[in-house]
Every structure is written in structure tokens, then in C-alpha cells.
Coordinates of all heavy atoms in Angstrom, one line a residue:
M107 N -32.0 -56.9 -6.1 CA -33.2 -56.9 -5.3 C -33.2 -55.7 -4.3 O -32.2 -55.4 -3.7 CB -33.3 -58.2 -4.5 CG -34.6 -58.3 -3.7 SD -34.7 -59.9 -2.8 CE -35.3 -60.9 -4.1
A108 N -34.3 -55.0 -4.2 CA -34.4 -53.8 -3.4 C -34.5 -54.2 -1.9 O -35.0 -55.3 -1.6 CB -35.7 -53.0 -3.8
R109 N -34.0 -53.4 -1.1 CA -34.0 -53.6 0.3 C -35.5 -53.4 0.8 O -36.2 -52.5 0.4 CB -33.2 -52.6 1.0 CG -32.1 -53.2 1.9 CD -31.3 -52.1 2.5 NE -30.0 -52.7 2.9 CZ -29.1 -52.2 3.6 NH1 -29.2 -50.9 4.0 NH2 -28.0 -52.8 3.8
P110 N -35.9 -54.2 1.8 CA -37.3 -54.0 2.3 C -37.3 -52.8 3.1 O -36.3 -52.2 3.5 CB -37.5 -55.3 3.1 CG -36.1 -55.7 3.5 CD -35.2 -55.3 2.4
A111 N -38.6 -52.3 3.4 CA -38.7 -51.1 4.2 C -38.2 -51.4 5.6 O -38.3 -52.5 6.1 CB -40.2 -50.8 4.3
T112 N -37.5 -50.4 6.1 CA -36.9 -50.5 7.4 C -38.0 -50.7 8.5 O -39.0 -50.0 8.5 CB -36.1 -49.2 7.8 OG1 -35.3 -48.9 6.7 CG2 -35.4 -49.3 9.0
P113 N -37.8 -51.7 9.4 CA -38.8 -52.0 10.4 C -38.9 -50.9 11.5 O -39.7 -51.0 12.4 CB -38.4 -53.3 11.0 CG -37.0 -53.5 10.6 CD -36.7 -52.7 9.4
W114 N -38.0 -49.9 11.5 CA -38.0 -48.9 12.6 C -38.0 -47.5 11.9 O -37.6 -47.3 10.8 CB -36.9 -49.0 13.5 CG -35.6 -49.3 12.8 CD1 -34.8 -48.4 12.1 CD2 -34.9 -50.5 12.7 NE1 -33.7 -49.0 11.6 CE2 -33.7 -50.3 11.9 CE3 -35.2 -51.8 13.1 CZ2 -32.8 -51.3 11.6 CZ3 -34.3 -52.8 12.8 CH2 -33.1 -52.6 12.0
A115 N -38.4 -46.6 12.7 CA -38.4 -45.2 12.2 C -37.0 -44.7 12.4 O -36.0 -45.5 12.1 CB -39.4 -44.3 13.1
S116 N -36.7 -43.5 12.8 CA -35.4 -43.0 13.0 C -35.0 -43.2 14.4 O -35.8 -43.4 15.3 CB -35.3 -41.6 12.6 OG -36.1 -40.8 13.5
S117 N -33.6 -43.0 14.6 CA -33.1 -43.2 16.0 C -33.6 -42.0 16.8 O -33.7 -42.0 18.0 CB -31.6 -43.3 16.0 OG -31.0 -42.2 15.4
G118 N -33.8 -40.8 16.2 CA -34.2 -39.6 16.9 C -33.2 -39.2 18.0 O -32.1 -39.6 18.0
S119 N -33.8 -38.6 19.0 CA -32.9 -38.1 20.1 C -33.4 -38.9 21.3 O -34.0 -38.3 22.2 CB -33.0 -36.6 20.3 OG -34.3 -36.2 20.4
R120 N -33.2 -40.1 21.4 CA -33.6 -40.9 22.5 C -32.5 -40.8 23.6 O -31.4 -40.7 23.3 CB -33.8 -42.4 22.1 CG -34.5 -42.6 20.7 CD -35.9 -43.1 20.8 NE -36.1 -44.2 21.7 CZ -37.3 -44.4 22.1 NH1 -38.3 -43.7 21.8 NH2 -37.4 -45.4 23.0
P121 N -32.9 -40.9 24.8 CA -32.0 -40.7 25.9 C -30.8 -41.7 25.9 O -29.7 -41.3 26.2 CB -32.8 -40.8 27.2 CG -34.2 -40.7 26.8 CD -34.3 -41.0 25.3
R122 N -31.1 -42.9 25.6 CA -30.0 -43.9 25.6 C -29.8 -44.5 24.2 O -29.3 -45.6 24.0 CB -30.3 -45.0 26.6 CG -30.3 -44.6 28.0 CD -30.6 -45.7 29.0 NE -32.0 -46.1 28.9 CZ -32.5 -47.1 29.5 NH1 -31.8 -47.9 30.2 NH2 -33.8 -47.3 29.4
G123 N -30.1 -43.7 23.2 CA -30.0 -44.2 21.8 C -31.0 -45.2 21.4 O -32.1 -45.2 22.0
G124 N -30.7 -46.0 20.5 CA -31.7 -47.0 20.0 C -32.6 -46.5 18.9 O -32.4 -45.4 18.4
F125 N -33.6 -47.3 18.6 CA -34.5 -47.0 17.5 C -36.0 -47.2 18.0 O -36.2 -47.9 19.0 CB -34.3 -48.0 16.4 CG -33.0 -47.8 15.7 CD1 -31.9 -48.4 16.1 CD2 -32.9 -46.9 14.6 CE1 -30.6 -48.2 15.5 CE2 -31.7 -46.7 14.0 CZ -30.6 -47.3 14.4
R126 N -36.9 -46.5 17.4 CA -38.3 -46.6 17.6 C -38.9 -47.4 16.5 O -38.6 -47.2 15.3 CB -38.9 -45.2 17.7 CG -40.3 -45.2 18.1 CD -40.8 -43.8 18.3 NE -40.2 -42.8 17.5 CZ -40.7 -42.4 16.3 NH1 -41.8 -42.9 15.9 NH2 -40.1 -41.5 15.6
L127 N -39.7 -48.5 16.8 CA -40.3 -49.3 15.8 C -41.3 -48.5 15.0 O -42.1 -47.7 15.5 CB -41.0 -50.5 16.4 CG -40.1 -51.5 17.1 CD1 -40.9 -52.6 17.8 CD2 -39.0 -52.1 16.2
A128 N -41.3 -48.7 13.7 CA -42.2 -48.1 12.8 C -43.5 -48.9 12.6 O -44.5 -48.4 12.1 CB -41.6 -47.8 11.4
R129 N -43.4 -50.2 12.9 CA -44.6 -51.1 12.8 C -44.8 -51.8 14.1 O -43.9 -51.9 15.0 CB -44.4 -52.1 11.7 CG -44.1 -51.4 10.3 CD -44.1 -52.4 9.1 NE -43.5 -53.7 9.3 CZ -42.4 -54.1 8.8 NH1 -41.7 -53.3 8.0 NH2 -41.9 -55.3 9.0
D130 N -45.9 -52.5 14.2 CA -46.2 -53.3 15.4 C -45.2 -54.5 15.4 O -44.9 -55.1 14.4 CB -47.6 -53.9 15.2 CG -48.0 -54.7 16.4 OD1 -47.8 -55.9 16.4 OD2 -48.6 -54.1 17.3
P131 N -44.6 -54.8 16.6 CA -43.6 -55.9 16.7 C -44.2 -57.3 16.2 O -43.4 -58.1 15.8 CB -43.4 -56.0 18.2 CG -43.7 -54.7 18.7 CD -44.8 -54.2 17.9
D132 N -45.5 -57.4 16.1 CA -46.1 -58.7 15.6 C -46.0 -58.8 14.1 O -46.2 -59.8 13.5 CB -47.5 -58.8 16.1 CG -48.0 -60.3 16.0 OD1 -47.2 -61.2 16.4 OD2 -49.1 -60.5 15.6
S133 N -45.7 -57.7 13.4 CA -45.6 -57.7 12.0 C -44.1 -57.6 11.5 O -43.9 -57.5 10.3 CB -46.4 -56.5 11.4 OG -45.8 -55.3 11.7
I134 N -43.2 -57.6 12.4 CA -41.8 -57.5 12.0 C -41.1 -58.9 12.4 O -41.1 -59.3 13.5 CB -41.1 -56.4 12.9 CG1 -41.7 -55.1 12.6 CG2 -39.6 -56.4 12.5 CD1 -41.2 -54.0 13.5
T135 N -40.5 -59.5 11.4 CA -39.8 -60.8 11.6 C -38.3 -60.5 11.9 O -37.8 -59.4 11.6 CB -39.9 -61.7 10.4 OG1 -39.2 -61.1 9.3 CG2 -41.3 -62.0 10.0
L136 N -37.7 -61.5 12.4 CA -36.3 -61.3 12.7 C -35.5 -61.2 11.3 O -34.5 -60.5 11.2 CB -35.7 -62.5 13.5 CG -36.2 -62.5 14.9 CD1 -35.5 -63.7 15.7 CD2 -35.9 -61.2 15.7
L137 N -36.1 -61.8 10.3 CA -35.5 -61.7 9.0 C -35.6 -60.2 8.5 O -34.6 -59.7 7.9 CB -36.1 -62.6 8.0 CG -35.5 -62.6 6.6 CD1 -34.0 -62.9 6.5 CD2 -36.3 -63.5 5.6
D138 N -36.7 -59.5 8.8 CA -36.9 -58.1 8.4 C -35.7 -57.3 9.0 O -35.1 -56.4 8.4 CB -38.2 -57.6 8.9 CG -39.4 -58.1 8.2 OD1 -39.3 -58.5 7.0 OD2 -40.5 -58.2 8.8
V139 N -35.4 -57.6 10.3 CA -34.4 -56.8 11.0 C -33.0 -57.1 10.3 O -32.2 -56.2 10.0 CB -34.3 -57.2 12.5 CG1 -33.2 -56.5 13.2 CG2 -35.7 -56.8 13.1
V140 N -32.7 -58.4 10.1 CA -31.4 -58.7 9.4 C -31.3 -58.1 8.0 O -30.3 -57.5 7.7 CB -31.3 -60.2 9.3 CG1 -30.1 -60.6 8.4 CG2 -31.1 -60.8 10.7
L141 N -32.4 -58.1 7.2 CA -32.3 -57.6 5.9 C -32.2 -56.0 6.0 O -31.5 -55.5 5.1 CB -33.6 -57.9 5.1 CG -33.7 -59.4 4.7 CD1 -35.0 -59.7 4.0 CD2 -32.6 -59.9 3.9
A142 N -32.8 -55.4 6.9 CA -32.7 -54.0 7.0 C -31.3 -53.5 7.4 O -30.8 -52.5 7.0 CB -33.7 -53.4 8.0
I143 N -30.6 -54.3 8.2 CA -29.3 -54.0 8.6 C -28.2 -54.5 7.7 O -27.3 -53.7 7.3 CB -29.0 -54.6 10.1 CG1 -29.9 -53.9 11.1 CG2 -27.5 -54.4 10.5 CD1 -29.9 -54.6 12.4
E144 N -28.3 -55.7 7.3 CA -27.2 -56.4 6.5 C -27.5 -56.4 5.0 O -26.6 -56.6 4.2 CB -27.0 -57.8 7.0 CG -26.6 -58.0 8.4 CD -25.2 -57.4 8.7 OE1 -24.4 -57.4 7.7 OE2 -25.0 -57.1 9.8
G145 N -28.7 -56.2 4.6 CA -29.0 -56.3 3.2 C -29.4 -57.8 2.9 O -29.4 -58.6 3.7
N146 N -29.6 -58.1 1.6 CA -30.0 -59.4 1.2 C -28.9 -60.3 0.7 O -29.2 -61.4 0.1 CB -31.1 -59.3 0.1 CG -31.9 -60.5 -0.1 OD1 -32.1 -61.3 0.9 ND2 -32.4 -60.8 -1.3
E147 N -27.7 -60.0 0.8 CA -26.6 -60.8 0.4 C -26.4 -62.0 1.3 O -26.6 -61.9 2.5 CB -25.3 -60.0 0.3 CG -25.3 -59.1 -0.9 CD -23.9 -58.4 -1.1 OE1 -22.9 -59.1 -0.9 OE2 -23.9 -57.3 -1.5
S148 N -25.9 -63.1 0.8 CA -25.6 -64.3 1.6 C -24.5 -63.9 2.6 O -23.6 -63.1 2.3 CB -25.2 -65.4 0.7 OG -24.8 -66.5 1.5
L149 N -24.6 -64.5 3.8 CA -23.5 -64.3 4.7 C -22.2 -65.0 4.3 O -21.1 -64.7 4.7 CB -23.9 -64.7 6.1 CG -25.1 -63.9 6.7 CD1 -25.4 -64.5 8.1 CD2 -24.7 -62.5 6.8
F150 N -22.3 -66.1 3.5 CA -21.2 -66.8 3.0 C -20.7 -66.2 1.7 O -21.5 -66.0 0.8 CB -21.6 -68.3 2.8 CG -20.5 -69.1 2.2 CD1 -19.4 -69.5 3.0 CD2 -20.6 -69.5 0.9 CE1 -18.3 -70.2 2.4 CE2 -19.6 -70.3 0.3 CZ -18.5 -70.6 1.1
R151 N -19.4 -66.0 1.6 CA -18.8 -65.6 0.4 C -17.7 -66.5 0.0 O -16.7 -66.6 0.7 CB -18.3 -64.1 0.5 CG -19.4 -63.1 0.5 CD -18.9 -61.7 0.9 NE -20.0 -60.8 1.1 CZ -20.9 -60.7 2.1 NH1 -20.8 -61.6 3.0 NH2 -21.8 -59.8 2.2
C152 N -17.9 -67.2 -1.1 CA -16.9 -68.2 -1.5 C -15.7 -67.4 -2.0 O -15.8 -66.5 -2.8 CB -17.5 -69.0 -2.7 SG -16.3 -70.3 -3.3
T153 N -14.5 -67.8 -1.6 CA -13.3 -67.2 -2.0 C -12.4 -68.1 -2.8 O -11.3 -67.8 -3.1 CB -12.5 -66.7 -0.8 OG1 -12.2 -67.8 0.1 CG2 -13.2 -65.6 0.0
E154 N -13.0 -69.2 -3.2 CA -12.2 -70.1 -4.1 C -12.3 -69.6 -5.5 O -13.3 -69.5 -6.1 CB -12.9 -71.5 -4.0 CG -12.4 -72.5 -5.0 CD -10.9 -72.7 -5.0 OE1 -10.4 -73.1 -3.9 OE2 -10.2 -72.5 -6.0
I155 N -11.1 -69.1 -6.0 CA -11.1 -68.4 -7.3 C -11.6 -69.3 -8.4 O -12.2 -68.7 -9.4 CB -9.6 -68.0 -7.5 CG1 -9.6 -67.0 -8.7 CG2 -8.7 -69.1 -7.8 CD1 -8.3 -66.2 -8.8
R156 N -11.5 -70.6 -8.3 CA -12.0 -71.4 -9.4 C -13.5 -71.6 -9.4 O -14.1 -72.1 -10.3 CB -11.3 -72.8 -9.4 CG -9.8 -72.8 -9.7 CD -9.2 -74.1 -9.4 NE -9.4 -74.3 -7.9 CZ -9.1 -75.5 -7.3 NH1 -8.7 -76.5 -8.0 NH2 -9.2 -75.6 -6.0
Q157 N -14.1 -71.1 -8.3 CA -15.6 -71.3 -8.1 C -16.3 -69.9 -8.2 O -17.5 -69.9 -8.0 CB -15.9 -72.0 -6.8 CG -15.3 -73.4 -6.7 CD -15.8 -74.4 -7.7 OE1 -17.0 -74.3 -8.1 NE2 -15.0 -75.3 -8.1
C158 N -15.6 -68.8 -8.4 CA -16.2 -67.5 -8.3 C -16.0 -66.7 -9.6 O -15.0 -66.8 -10.3 CB -15.6 -66.7 -7.2 SG -15.9 -67.4 -5.5
G159 N -16.9 -65.8 -9.9 CA -16.7 -64.9 -11.0 C -16.5 -65.5 -12.4 O -17.0 -66.5 -12.7
K160 N -15.8 -64.7 -13.2 CA -15.6 -65.1 -14.6 C -14.7 -66.3 -14.7 O -15.0 -67.1 -15.6 CB -14.9 -63.9 -15.3 CG -15.7 -62.7 -15.5 CD -16.9 -63.0 -16.4 CE -17.8 -61.7 -16.5 NZ -19.0 -62.0 -17.1
I161 N -13.8 -66.5 -13.8 CA -13.0 -67.7 -13.9 C -13.9 -69.0 -13.7 O -13.7 -70.0 -14.3 CB -11.8 -67.7 -12.8 CG1 -10.9 -66.6 -13.3 CG2 -11.2 -69.0 -12.7 CD1 -9.7 -66.4 -12.3
A162 N -14.9 -68.9 -12.8 CA -15.8 -70.0 -12.5 C -16.6 -70.3 -13.7 O -16.8 -71.5 -14.1 CB -16.7 -69.7 -11.3
E163 N -17.0 -69.3 -14.4 CA -17.8 -69.5 -15.7 C -17.0 -70.3 -16.7 O -17.5 -71.1 -17.4 CB -18.3 -68.2 -16.3 CG -19.3 -67.5 -15.4 CD -19.7 -66.1 -16.0 OE1 -19.3 -65.8 -17.1 OE2 -20.2 -65.3 -15.2
L164 N -15.7 -69.9 -16.8 CA -14.8 -70.7 -17.7 C -14.6 -72.1 -17.2 O -14.6 -73.1 -18.0 CB -13.5 -69.9 -17.9 CG -13.6 -68.6 -18.5 CD1 -12.2 -67.9 -18.5 CD2 -14.1 -68.7 -20.0
H165 N -14.3 -72.2 -15.9 CA -14.0 -73.5 -15.3 C -15.2 -74.5 -15.3 O -15.0 -75.7 -15.5 CB -13.5 -73.2 -13.8 CG -13.1 -74.5 -13.1 ND1 -12.0 -75.2 -13.4 CD2 -13.7 -75.1 -12.0 CE1 -11.9 -76.2 -12.6 NE2 -12.9 -76.2 -11.7
T166 N -16.4 -73.9 -15.0 CA -17.6 -74.8 -14.9 C -18.5 -74.7 -16.1 O -19.5 -75.4 -16.1 CB -18.4 -74.4 -13.6 OG1 -18.9 -73.1 -13.8 CG2 -17.6 -74.5 -12.4
G167 N -18.2 -73.9 -17.0 CA -19.0 -73.7 -18.2 C -20.3 -73.0 -17.8 O -21.3 -73.1 -18.5
G168 N -20.3 -72.2 -16.7 CA -21.6 -71.6 -16.2 C -22.5 -72.5 -15.6 O -23.7 -72.1 -15.2
N169 N -22.2 -73.7 -15.3 CA -23.0 -74.7 -14.6 C -22.9 -74.6 -13.1 O -21.9 -75.0 -12.5 CB -22.6 -76.1 -15.1 CG -23.5 -77.2 -14.5 OD1 -24.4 -76.9 -13.8 ND2 -23.1 -78.4 -14.8
D170 N -24.0 -74.0 -12.5 CA -24.0 -73.9 -11.0 C -23.9 -75.2 -10.3 O -23.4 -75.3 -9.2 CB -25.2 -73.1 -10.6 CG -25.1 -71.6 -10.9 OD1 -24.0 -71.1 -11.1 OD2 -26.2 -71.0 -10.9
A171 N -24.3 -76.3 -10.9 CA -24.3 -77.6 -10.3 C -22.8 -78.0 -10.1 O -22.6 -78.9 -9.3 CB -25.0 -78.6 -11.2
A172 N -21.9 -77.4 -10.9 CA -20.5 -77.8 -10.7 C -19.8 -77.1 -9.5 O -18.7 -77.3 -9.3 CB -19.7 -77.5 -12.0
A173 N -20.6 -76.2 -8.9 CA -20.0 -75.5 -7.7 C -19.5 -76.5 -6.7 O -20.1 -77.6 -6.5 CB -21.0 -74.5 -7.1
C174 N -18.6 -76.1 -5.9 CA -18.0 -77.0 -4.9 C -19.1 -77.3 -3.8 O -20.0 -76.6 -3.6 CB -16.8 -76.4 -4.2 SG -17.0 -75.1 -3.1
A175 N -18.9 -78.5 -3.2 CA -19.8 -79.0 -2.2 C -19.9 -78.1 -1.0 O -21.0 -77.9 -0.4 CB -19.4 -80.4 -1.8
V176 N -18.8 -77.5 -0.6 CA -18.8 -76.6 0.5 C -19.7 -75.4 0.3 O -20.5 -75.0 1.1 CB -17.4 -76.1 0.9 CG1 -17.4 -75.0 2.0 CG2 -16.6 -77.3 1.4
K177 N -19.6 -74.8 -0.9 CA -20.4 -73.6 -1.3 C -21.8 -74.0 -1.3 O -22.7 -73.2 -0.8 CB -19.9 -73.1 -2.7 CG -20.6 -71.9 -3.2 CD -20.1 -71.4 -4.5 CE -20.8 -70.2 -5.0 NZ -20.3 -69.8 -6.3
R178 N -22.2 -75.1 -1.9 CA -23.6 -75.5 -1.9 C -24.1 -75.8 -0.5 O -25.2 -75.3 -0.2 CB -23.7 -76.8 -2.8 CG -23.5 -76.6 -4.3 CD -24.0 -77.8 -5.1 NE -23.5 -79.0 -4.7 CZ -22.4 -79.6 -5.1 NH1 -21.6 -79.0 -6.0 NH2 -22.0 -80.8 -4.7
A179 N -23.3 -76.4 0.3 CA -23.8 -76.6 1.7 C -24.0 -75.3 2.5 O -24.9 -75.2 3.2 CB -22.7 -77.5 2.5
M180 N -23.1 -74.4 2.3 CA -23.2 -73.1 3.0 C -24.4 -72.3 2.5 O -25.1 -71.7 3.3 CB -21.9 -72.3 2.8 CG -20.7 -72.9 3.5 SD -20.9 -73.1 5.2 CE -20.8 -71.4 5.8
Y181 N -24.7 -72.4 1.2 CA -25.9 -71.7 0.7 C -27.2 -72.3 1.2 O -28.1 -71.7 1.5 CB -25.9 -71.6 -0.8 CG -24.9 -70.5 -1.3 CD1 -24.1 -70.8 -2.4 CD2 -24.9 -69.3 -0.8 CE1 -23.2 -69.8 -2.8 CE2 -24.1 -68.3 -1.2 CZ -23.2 -68.5 -2.3 OH -22.4 -67.5 -2.7
R182 N -27.2 -73.7 1.4 CA -28.3 -74.3 1.9 C -28.5 -73.9 3.4 O -29.6 -73.7 3.9 CB -28.2 -75.9 1.9 CG -28.5 -76.5 0.5 CD -28.6 -78.0 0.5 NE -27.5 -78.6 1.2 CZ -26.4 -79.1 0.5 NH1 -26.3 -78.9 -0.8 NH2 -25.4 -79.7 1.2
A183 N -27.4 -73.8 4.1 CA -27.5 -73.4 5.6 C -28.0 -71.9 5.6 O -28.8 -71.6 6.5 CB -26.1 -73.5 6.2
D184 N -27.5 -71.1 4.7 CA -28.0 -69.7 4.7 C -29.5 -69.6 4.5 O -30.2 -68.9 5.2 CB -27.2 -68.9 3.7 CG -27.5 -67.4 3.7 OD1 -27.0 -66.7 4.6 OD2 -28.2 -66.9 2.8
L185 N -30.0 -70.4 3.5 CA -31.4 -70.4 3.2 C -32.2 -70.9 4.4 O -33.2 -70.3 4.8 CB -31.7 -71.3 2.0 CG -33.1 -71.5 1.6 CD1 -33.7 -70.1 1.2 CD2 -33.2 -72.5 0.5
A186 N -31.7 -72.0 5.1 CA -32.4 -72.5 6.3 C -32.5 -71.5 7.4 O -33.5 -71.3 8.1 CB -31.7 -73.8 6.8
W187 N -31.4 -70.8 7.6 CA -31.3 -69.7 8.6 C -32.3 -68.6 8.3 O -33.0 -68.2 9.2 CB -29.8 -69.2 8.6 CG -29.6 -68.0 9.5 CD1 -29.5 -68.1 10.9 CD2 -29.3 -66.7 9.1 NE1 -29.2 -66.8 11.4 CE2 -29.1 -65.9 10.3 CE3 -29.2 -66.0 7.9 CZ2 -28.8 -64.6 10.3 CZ3 -28.9 -64.7 7.9 CH2 -28.7 -64.0 9.1
R188 N -32.4 -68.2 7.1 CA -33.3 -67.1 6.7 C -34.8 -67.6 6.9 O -35.6 -66.9 7.3 CB -33.1 -66.7 5.2 CG -31.8 -65.9 5.1 CD -31.4 -65.7 3.6 NE -30.2 -65.1 3.5 CZ -30.0 -63.8 3.4 NH1 -31.1 -63.0 3.4 NH2 -28.8 -63.2 3.3
E189 N -35.0 -68.9 6.5 CA -36.4 -69.4 6.7 C -36.8 -69.4 8.1 O -37.9 -69.1 8.5 CB -36.5 -70.8 6.0 CG -36.5 -70.7 4.5 CD -36.4 -72.1 3.9 OE1 -36.1 -73.1 4.6 OE2 -36.6 -72.2 2.6
A190 N -35.8 -69.8 9.0 CA -36.1 -69.8 10.4 C -36.3 -68.4 11.0 O -37.3 -68.2 11.8 CB -34.9 -70.5 11.2
L191 N -35.5 -67.5 10.5 CA -35.8 -66.1 11.0 C -37.1 -65.5 10.5 O -37.7 -64.7 11.2 CB -34.6 -65.2 10.5 CG -33.2 -65.4 11.1 CD1 -32.2 -64.5 10.5 CD2 -33.3 -65.2 12.6
A192 N -37.5 -65.9 9.3 CA -38.8 -65.4 8.8 C -40.0 -65.9 9.6 O -41.1 -65.3 9.5 CB -38.9 -65.8 7.3
T193 N -39.8 -67.0 10.3 CA -41.0 -67.5 11.1 C -41.0 -66.9 12.5 O -42.0 -67.2 13.2 CB -40.9 -69.0 11.3 OG1 -39.8 -69.4 12.1 CG2 -40.9 -69.7 9.9
Q194 N -40.0 -66.1 12.9 CA -40.0 -65.6 14.3 C -40.3 -64.1 14.2 O -39.6 -63.3 13.5 CB -38.6 -65.8 14.9 CG -38.3 -67.3 15.0 CD -36.9 -67.5 15.6 OE1 -36.6 -67.1 16.7 NE2 -36.1 -68.2 14.8
K195 N -41.3 -63.7 15.0 CA -41.6 -62.3 15.1 C -40.9 -61.6 16.2 O -40.5 -62.3 17.2 CB -43.1 -62.1 15.3 CG -44.0 -62.9 14.4 CD -44.2 -62.1 13.1 CE -45.2 -62.8 12.2 NZ -45.0 -62.4 10.8
L196 N -40.7 -60.3 16.1 CA -40.1 -59.6 17.2 C -40.9 -59.7 18.5 O -40.4 -59.7 19.6 CB -40.0 -58.1 16.7 CG -38.8 -57.3 17.2 CD1 -37.5 -58.0 17.0 CD2 -38.8 -55.9 16.5
S197 N -42.2 -59.8 18.3 CA -43.1 -59.9 19.5 C -42.8 -61.2 20.2 O -42.9 -61.3 21.4 CB -44.6 -59.8 19.1 OG -44.9 -60.8 18.1
D198 N -42.5 -62.3 19.5 CA -42.1 -63.6 20.1 C -40.9 -63.4 21.0 O -40.8 -64.0 22.1 CB -41.9 -64.6 19.0 CG -43.1 -64.9 18.1 OD1 -44.2 -64.7 18.6 OD2 -42.9 -65.3 17.0
V199 N -39.9 -62.7 20.5 CA -38.7 -62.6 21.2 C -38.9 -61.7 22.5 O -38.5 -62.1 23.5 CB -37.6 -61.9 20.3 CG1 -36.4 -61.5 21.1 CG2 -37.2 -62.7 19.1
R200 N -39.8 -60.7 22.3 CA -40.1 -59.9 23.5 C -40.8 -60.7 24.6 O -40.5 -60.6 25.8 CB -41.0 -58.8 23.0 CG -41.6 -58.0 24.2 CD -41.2 -56.6 24.1 NE -41.4 -55.9 25.3 CZ -41.7 -54.6 25.3 NH1 -41.7 -53.9 24.2 NH2 -41.9 -54.0 26.5
R201 N -41.7 -61.6 24.2 CA -42.4 -62.5 25.1 C -41.4 -63.4 25.9 O -41.6 -63.6 27.0 CB -43.5 -63.3 24.4 CG -44.8 -62.6 24.3 CD -45.9 -63.6 23.9 NE -45.8 -64.0 22.5 CZ -46.1 -63.3 21.4 NH1 -46.7 -62.1 21.6 NH2 -46.0 -63.8 20.2
E202 N -40.4 -63.9 25.2 CA -39.4 -64.7 25.8 C -38.6 -63.9 26.8 O -38.2 -64.5 27.8 CB -38.5 -65.3 24.8 CG -39.1 -66.4 24.0 CD -38.1 -67.1 23.0 OE1 -36.9 -67.1 23.4 OE2 -38.5 -67.5 22.0
L203 N -38.4 -62.6 26.6 CA -37.7 -61.8 27.5 C -38.5 -61.4 28.7 O -37.9 -61.1 29.8 CB -37.1 -60.6 26.8 CG -36.1 -60.8 25.7 CD1 -35.8 -59.5 25.0 CD2 -34.8 -61.4 26.3
D204 N -39.8 -61.3 28.6 CA -40.7 -60.8 29.7 C -40.8 -61.9 30.8 O -40.6 -63.0 30.8 CB -42.0 -60.4 29.2 CG -41.9 -59.1 28.4 OD1 -41.0 -58.4 28.6 OD2 -42.9 -58.8 27.6

């Protein structure tokens, strides 16, 4: 999946560093910011060798439903976190700070 457009222009030569927004803060979600910085990969990475990669395909027969309960729970939490960030605009955060 391609990375979304960056919500800011360049850092330029600002006196104290930072970034200048390329769009109106009301059109930038917190998820946009996270995706621009971190990319679209899940924050959780399963390290259980029997549940990851080629070994998992052999172990589970390619059946994602056979993934461990911890992995499924963590992916649900990641999805909920992303959905919550998608509902919050940068302008909302600014209003809370003012």
C-alpha cells in the first residue's frame, strides 16, 4: 500500500525547527500524521516462529483463523487505535491546547 501524502511541507529553515503544515489542520487527522511518520505497518509484530512467515503457513495450512489469540487481539487493538486516530483532527488537538 502506498504511503499517503505527507500532511506537512518541508521543515525548511525554521528558527526552532519543526514543520509547516501543507494542508489546513481541519483536514489532517492524527492517523494521517502517524501514517506519514511510521508508515502503514501494524505496530504489533508477532515473533512467535510458529505463527509467522513460511513456517506459519506450514503449521496452520495458511489459515489465518488459526493464528494465536494474542496476535488476533493485538491486531484488533491496532485497528481500534487507527479508527480512533482517524476521527481526530489536528485542529481538535489544537483547540484542546488553546
Side-chain angles (χ1 to χ4, degrees):
M107 180 177 281
R109 235 180 204 187
T112 307
W114 45 77
S116 64
S117 59
S119 56
R120 316 250 322 155
R122 292 183 287 174
F125 293 89
R126 186 170 35 91
L127 295 177
R129 302 190 322 250
D130 184 270
D132 200 42
S133 70
I134 301 171
T135 67
L136 293 182
L137 182 60
D138 292 332
V139 174
V140 169
L141 292 176
I143 295 169
E144 299 293 335
N146 197 29
E147 289 189 35
S148 174
L149 295 178
F150 174 74
R151 286 172 186 72
C152 180
T153 57
E154 170 56 56
I155 193 167
R156 293 171 296 171
Q157 301 295 331
C158 299
K160 293 294 179 192
I161 292 176
E163 290 175 17
L164 296 173
H165 180 70
T166 65
N169 180 4
D170 285 341
C174 73
V176 171
K177 182 177 179 178
R178 289 192 311 269
M180 293 302 288
Y181 282 134
R182 282 193 307 270
D184 186 74
L185 179 61
W187 176 72
R188 288 168 185 269
E189 288 172 350
L191 290 177
T193 66
Q194 299 177 61
K195 306 280 188 202
L196 214 47
S197 57
D198 299 333
V199 174
R200 173 122 193 207
R201 274 191 291 280
E202 285 184 34
L203 293 173
D204 289 341

